[in-house]
Structures are given as structure tokens and as C-alpha cells.
């Protein structure tokens, strides 16, 4: 059954899904790889569409797969699919350009974080709604972190207590994300980084271990296990 989005919702979710998945090894673009028999992108969109505030979902798909992705997602939720770009930032910009008038809150969420629970979408959106211009979900860093030089000699130990690992969805007041992308120069891996460059404060909310990014084969194996145990 197709999940209906909320016409009274105030949130648009952009889903960059146009990456190749090089680190996952040879095969289809990552968003189309299977997890429990379904593409990662289907898992991601199903969970986004289950978040009650979501008004619009725009997916940036690999350019060659736009029609296939439209057909694949039609039974999952009513989504807009646009061709992505060569870099993640270009894919996000393409999706942002396709958001209709209406939603004041824009979330950017990696298709690769396929098991992200709807509750995390809601908590990031709620923090933006409460007045924060930019919100990122974070987890504490568990490993000790060292800074090294080009020869792998340790320069020092970074204070772990002050570090956070950043996930998606990252949430923004729409005008702030639009301004950040207009001002963007060099490519960054996260949208909050663009907003920081504008001098806009970025605030953290607790992330979720289920929002892990499926990057390497180990992550896919872990996600298979989590899915099989009910995630
Ligand atoms: N992404 C995108 N457009 C790109 C590159 C990445 O939309 N040109 C998306 C990916 O599809 C993914 C998210 O950005 O959902 C995070 O990127 P990453 O995990 O690095 O995925 P890939 O770029 O596909 O993987 P790799 O870097 O291993 O090739
Ligand atoms: Mg990448």
C-alpha cells in the first residue's frame, strides 16, 4: 500500500540517492542495492513517509535510473524523482530546486541511512519548528581519536568528550538551506557545513544507532542483521 504524505505537513525531505556506492564494491548504484530483498532507497523512503509531518519527498536518483526509481517508489509513497549530480552537494541542490511552495522546513537525508526510524525525522523537524535554523542528529564518539601527520605519526589526542559523529536527516529552515546552497563554493559532505559557513548556529539533537550509514560491506551485513531483528 502506498503511504500517503500529509498535505498539511510542514516538512520536505530531500533524499540524495545518486551515489555510485564505490566503497560497497562492484554492483548497482548503492541506493538500488538490496537489503532484505528490497533496495536501500525503498527502505529509506518508507521510513520517511511514515513520519507524520512530511509533506513532500524529493529523491535525487542516478541520472540513468530516474524512470526505474520512479516506478520502484510509486507503490511506496508519492515522491518526486529528479536526476542527481556528480557530487552529493549537486544532488541535494537538484532536489531542493524541486520542492514546491509550502513546506518551511527542509530535511536532507541520505538514502544510505536506510534504517533511520521515522521518530528521528520527527525529532529533527520538531527542533527546527521550535526555532533552531539548523539541526543535526549526533552520537557520541566511542573510539579514542588521534590526529596524525602525513607519515602516520601521532600529533596528539583529540578530546573525545567534545566530539560528535554526525548523521542525517539534517534539518533546516528552508530559507537558510536555500541561502547556504546559493553561497556554496567547494563541495562539502554535509549540508550543515554549508550553513556553518554562513555563520548560522547549528544545534544538535540525539541521533540513532539505526541511522547508521551503509558505506562498506560490513555495514550492509550489520543492516541485514538489524532488519532481520525487526529494525
Ligand atoms: N549521493 C548523491 N549524489 C552523489 C553522491 C552521493 O546523491 N553524486 C548520495 C548517496 O547516494 C548517498 C549519500 O549521498 O545516499 C551519502 O553518500 P555516500 O554514502 O558517500 O554514498 P556513495 O557516494 O554512493 O558511496 P561511495 O562514496 O562509496 O561511492
Ligand atoms: Mg560518496
Amino acid at each position: 500500500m502506498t503511504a500517503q504524505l500529509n498535505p498539511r505537513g510542514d516538512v520536505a525531505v530531500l533524499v540524495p540517492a545518486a551515489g555510485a556506492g564505490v566503497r560497497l564494491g562492484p554492483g548497482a548504484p548503492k541506493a538500488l542495492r538490496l537489503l532484505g530483498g528490497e533496495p536501500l532507497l525503498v527502505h529509506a523512503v518508507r521510513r520517511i513517509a511514515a513520519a507524520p509531518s512530511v509533506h513532500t519527498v524529493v529523491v535525487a536518483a542516478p541520472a540513468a535510473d530516474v524512470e526505474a526509481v520512479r516506478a520502484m517508489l510509486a507503490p511506496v509513497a508519492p515522491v518526486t524523482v529528479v536526476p542527481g549530480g556528480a557530487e552529493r552537494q549537486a544532488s541535494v541542490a537538484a532536489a531542493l530546486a524541486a520542492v514546491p511552495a509550502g513546506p518551511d522546513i527542509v530535511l536532507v537525508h541520505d538514502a544510505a541511512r536506510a534504517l533511520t526510524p521515522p521518530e528521528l525525522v520527527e525529532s529533527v523537524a520538531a527542533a527546527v519548528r521550535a526555532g533552531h535554523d539548523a539541526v543535526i542528529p549526533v552520537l557520541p564518539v566511542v573510539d579514542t581519536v588521534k590526529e596524525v601527520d602525513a607519515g602516520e605519526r601521532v600529533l596528539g589526542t583529540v578530546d573525545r568528550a567534545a566530539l560528535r559523529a554526525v548523521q542525517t536527516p539534517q534539518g533546516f529552515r528552508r530559507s537558510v538551506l536555500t541561502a547556504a546552497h546559493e553561497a556554496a563554493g567547494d563541495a562539502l559532505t554535509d549540508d550543515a557545513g554549508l550553513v556553518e559557513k554562513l555563520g548560522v548556529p547549528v544545534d544538535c539533537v540525539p541521533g540513532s544507532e539505526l541511522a547508521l550509514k551503509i558505506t562498506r560491506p560490513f555495514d550492509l551485513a550489520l543492516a541485514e542483521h538489524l532488519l532481520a531483528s525487526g529494525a
Side-chain angles (χ1 to χ4, degrees), residues 15-25 28-32 40-41 59-62 84-92 109-113 168 189 213-216:
V15 187
V22 171
R23 289 169 289 179
L24 211 44
K30 180 159 69 178
L32 307 180
L40 292 182
L41 182 57
V59 172
E87 304 292 336
R88 183 183 179 280
Q89 190 181 311
S91 297
V92 173
H109 183 41
D110 293 330
R113 300 183 188 271
T168 74
T189 56
K213 184 152 75 77
I214 298 170
T215 304
R216 291 171 290 248

Side-chain angles (χ1 to χ4, degrees), residues 87-177:
E87 304 292 336
R88 183 183 179 280
Q89 190 181 311
S91 297
V92 173
L96 182 59
V99 177
D104 279 337
I105 298 171
V106 179
L107 269 50
V108 184
H109 183 41
D110 293 330
R113 300 183 188 271
L115 297 180
T116 301
E119 292 76 15
L120 188 61
V121 174
E122 284 299 320
S123 72
V124 171
V128 178
R129 201 176 290 123
H132 299 283
D133 280 342
V135 175
I136 59 175
V138 301
L139 290 178
V141 172
V142 291
D143 292 314
T144 296
V145 177
K146 304 278 186 194
E147 187 180 3
V148 297
D149 67 13
E152 292 291 306
R153 174 156 292 167
V154 171
L155 296 172
T157 304
V158 185
D159 179 13
R160 190 173 62 194
L163 297 179
R164 300 291 179 270
V166 179
Q167 303 180 318
T168 74
Q170 301 188 356
F172 306 92
R173 189 156 313 288
R174 183 176 183 164
S175 55
V176 167
L177 186 63

Side-chain angles (χ1 to χ4, degrees), residues 60-72 81-84:
D65 300 304
V66 169
E67 283 308 324
V69 167
R70 262 187 207 131
M72 187 181 94
V81 183
V82 299

